[in-house]
Amino acid sequence: MRHWLQTLFQRKFKVSLLFLLLLALLVHLLMDLALPTARRSCSCDVKALKASDVPSDSTMLAGPKKLSLRILQDFSGSNGSLEKRPRPQGAGLHTRAGEPGVRHQRGDGKAGQREGSKLAALFEHPLYNIPIPEVTEKDKLFVVNPMEKFSLHSSGSDEWVSSSKAETLLPTGKTAYDTYPTWLKFHVGINRYELYPRRDPLMPTLLRDLATQKIVSSVQKSGGTQLKLIMTFPNYGQALFKPMKQTRDQETPIDFFYFSDFERHNAEIAAFHLDRILDFRRIPPASGRLVNITKEIRDITTDKKLAKTFFISPAGNVCFYGECSYYCSTEHALCGKPDQLEGSMAALLPDKTLAKRRSWRSPWRRSYHKSKKAEWELNPNYCAQVRETPPYDRGHRLLDLIDMTVLDFLMGNMDRHHYETFEKFGNDTFLLHLDNGRGFGTHSRDEPSILAPLQQCCSIKKSTYLRLQLLATQPYRLSDLLREALATDPLAPVLSEPHLRALDRRLRKVLEAVGRCLARVANPDKVLVDDVGSGV
């Protein structure tokens, strides 16, 4: 009897095991059948990014060219060629930016604004909810494939895991877009009308990454008059680091020429937030950061020219000065306390190899000479000449430049000799407000000549004027809004109180300049160019 029971148990066990194996095989077959269907349902017909100079890749999809995530990674910053360490080897990944679902993810949310704050109330105002035109495929900076994941080896290696190596399914409810690092989401979200959306849920994360991500490489940025560093993160993101050169309460000496002024790290941080409050959104995100000169620059740099400029000061602090046109010497060295140094970290735009940018000389560029004056300083009718010159003779380019003029006057920036645009979008796109380090140098005096484009052309976008009027009212006072925005920065307080108060004074002067223009014409529409229609 005992032997019979033992035999029966063994038979039942074998049958159960066989049943489990068959069940597992059935589940596997169902998954194999479902995966191609899912891929086909997600495929879309998209226009390719015109990038004839982008290298071809063996895993590129057939048909129109699509941008590879691997290529975006390789050129994640505007000075990727400075990075001396070898690039990771692996197959290219293809992403697709600007899918309706992707843009929806970026466009919703309050970007970390506190309940009851003036800043949150401002962004709820109708003037800050005027919709941009519908973004079509041709309006996106990048067109990429939505099915490819961004991944790194869990071992800590910086080698890519492409679709050919990682055929695992995405977690339920996740998309390939969710695997992208924040800097890549920022890049693929750029379009013809804005650098980033008003309510961008990425912004708190992107600013936090700039302030906290581990720095794996630091090299000098080529060009420019003062020292700047390109810093690289483990996820291939890059940032432009501008070190602290002045304390918060220092003003630019009155005898300094504008072209020999210091570039201030806190000006870059404040300019980003001011640009956002004005609803321009044309300055790349910037955050303050406390950097360890020894561990995050000296010990990891592959830049030999930079490495040879480090020394220990008589006070025992770690210092360096790099190589540049101005203030790169032992007398103007950047020193830590003992090795901690403040600086601004600005997200880099996509490399120019992938997203070409055109540099435009500003019609109101200064002479950059100690005694000579520019033509606009001598000719009061200079704007009439500009209006007849492409690209200012049509479209909104001149009005965009006047927007930039308002921004520069508010922060006291006299160093706007050029501006840039993304070449893909031609002349019908926004201006990039780059390099704002010479702003916020003085608070006790204003420079009225910065407003020359507004004063000479007597034109401004109606939306800009209405927002400036709003920012001059008590509930939305500009100084209060910028103070609140900067309070979340790791280096807060970023600006001293006199600089914040100067903003309100300068804002009144901008409105007075527009008021004088309005007083000279019978039809206000000649001064306030309607760009909002029934949007407010």
Side-chain angles (χ1 to χ4, degrees), residues 110 112-122 124 475-476 481 484:
K110 299 261 177 83
Q113 299 302 330
R114 298 190 301 274
E115 288 295 327
S117 73
K118 285 191 174 184
L119 208 54
L122 179 77
E124 291 298 326
Y476 302 100
L481 293 166
E484 180 183 335

Side-chain angles (χ1 to χ4, degrees), residues 150 257 291 447 500:
F150 180 102
F257 286 101
V291 170
E447 181 50 57
L500 292 168

Side-chain angles (χ1 to χ4, degrees), residues 359-531:
S359 180
W360 303 81
R361 181 186 172 115
S362 171
W364 280 271
R365 180 185 186 274
R366 297 177 184 275
S367 65
Y368 287 80
H369 192 276
K370 294 177 181 178
S371 57
K372 291 182 180 178
K373 290 189 174 183
E375 183 180 353
W376 61 266
E377 296 178 279
L378 304 172
N379 180 6
N381 298 317
Y382 179 73
C383 185
Q385 178 180 326
V386 174
R387 288 183 186 275
E388 296 176 357
T389 306
Y392 308 100
D393 58 342
R394 65 177 186 84
H396 50 81
R397 176 62 65 88
L398 180 59
L399 295 169
D400 287 343
L401 191 141
I402 291 173
D403 280 350
M404 187 167 59
T405 293
V406 171
L407 172 72
D408 284 335
F409 178 73
L410 290 174
M411 60 184 181
N413 179 26
M414 299 174 66
D415 187 37
R416 187 70 69 186
H417 45 83
H418 285 79
Y419 62 87
E420 294 185 14
T421 59
F422 286 110
E423 193 172 287
K424 176 182 179 180
F425 303 136
N427 294 334
D428 185 23
T429 187
F430 62 91
L431 314 185
L432 290 163
H433 300 167
L434 306 177
D435 200 6
N436 303 285
R438 283 180 171 151
F440 296 103
T442 61
H443 54 73
S444 60
R445 57 188 185 274
D446 305 330
E447 181 50 57
S449 65
I450 299 174
L451 282 180
L454 172 61
Q455 294 166 333
Q456 293 179 356
C457 298
C458 268
S459 292
I460 190 170
K461 291 178 184 176
K462 186 177 181 180
S463 63
T464 299
Y465 179 66
L466 292 175
R467 291 188 188 104
L468 293 176
Q469 284 187 314
L470 181 68
L471 297 173
T473 64
Q474 178 66 26
Y476 302 100
R477 181 184 291 161
L478 180 57
S479 59
D480 293 341
L481 293 166
L482 187 57
R483 183 185 297 107
E484 180 183 335
L486 294 176
T488 60
D489 190 86
L491 300 183
V494 175
L495 291 179
S496 64
E497 282 299 313
H499 278 294
L500 292 168
R501 290 194 296 269
L503 283 170
D504 297 325
R505 181 184 71 241
R506 291 168 182 166
L507 176 56
R508 289 193 297 270
K509 291 185 177 182
V510 175
L511 293 173
E512 288 168 2
V514 179
R516 288 191 293 271
C517 290
L518 289 168
R520 294 201 297 264
V521 299
N523 184 3
D525 292 343
K526 291 185 177 180
V527 176
L528 306 179
V529 181
D530 190 2
D531 63 322

